[in-house]
Amino acid sequence: QVQLVESGGGLVQTGGSLRLSCAASGRTFSMYVMAWFRQAPGKEREYVAAINWTSGRTYYADSVKGRFTISRDNAENTVYLQMNSLKPEDTAVYYCAAVWSIGVPRYSHQYDYWGQGTQVTVSS
């Protein structure tokens, strides 16, 4: 089993920054893909970014490319999402997810493990 705990959400003004953390525990993470998704009220959960735990290679949705950065700390078993130049449309509950995979899934149903979510609100 894998346990994921997110933290770091909050309220920020347009143009501001936040860093989300996802602390992972329970199993070795080699060959795992860790990802961030978000879900705004009335909308489906959408892919934001992913990282291959072994290689460190990163992937982004077009909507956040150039503004968000996903990274991992192997020693701390933690994945981060640095969010810069935030916009009101980034407002959502952000979820950390994990799956054992060779590829990099981009759909929520492809992930096996989820955190509880953390709220990010960007005011205009």
Side-chain angles (χ1 to χ4, degrees):
Q1 279 289 349
V2 174
Q3 293 81 42
L4 304 173
V5 179
E6 302 101 332
S7 61
L11 173 64
V12 65
Q13 292 184 334
T14 297
S17 298
L18 282 174
R19 189 177 81 156
L20 306 183
S21 300
C22 173
S25 62
R27 292 187 65 174
T28 178
F29 291 97
S30 61
M31 296 302 291
Y32 268 82
V33 172
M34 306 291 294
W36 288 94
F37 285 78
R38 65 187 182 186
Q39 189 166 20
K43 295 188 177 181
E44 293 187 355
R45 193 167 296 188
E46 67 170 347
Y47 164 86
V48 174
I51 186 167
N52 180 293
W53 191 271
T54 301
S55 70
R57 188 169 178 179
T58 58
Y59 308 82
Y60 297 94
D62 289 342
S63 59
V64 306
K65 201 171 294 183
R67 300 188 298 123
F68 291 11
T69 303
I70 188 171
S71 61
R72 72 184 184 334
D73 183 326
N74 287 357
E76 297 293 328
N77 279 349
T78 300
V79 174
Y80 302 99
L81 185 68
Q82 177 67 43
M83 305 185 294
N84 299 328
S85 301
L86 283 161
K87 305 174 183 180
E89 50 264 43
D90 294 318
T91 294
V93 177
Y94 282 70
Y95 296 91
C96 178
V99 65
W100 188 96
S101 177
I102 296 176
V104 182
R106 290 186 170 230
Y107 297 98
S108 58
H109 71 268
Q110 297 174 298
Y111 284 78
D112 295 324
Y113 304 102
W114 291 87
Q116 82 287 354
T118 185
Q119 177 71 48
V120 171
T121 303
V122 185
S123 64
S124 57

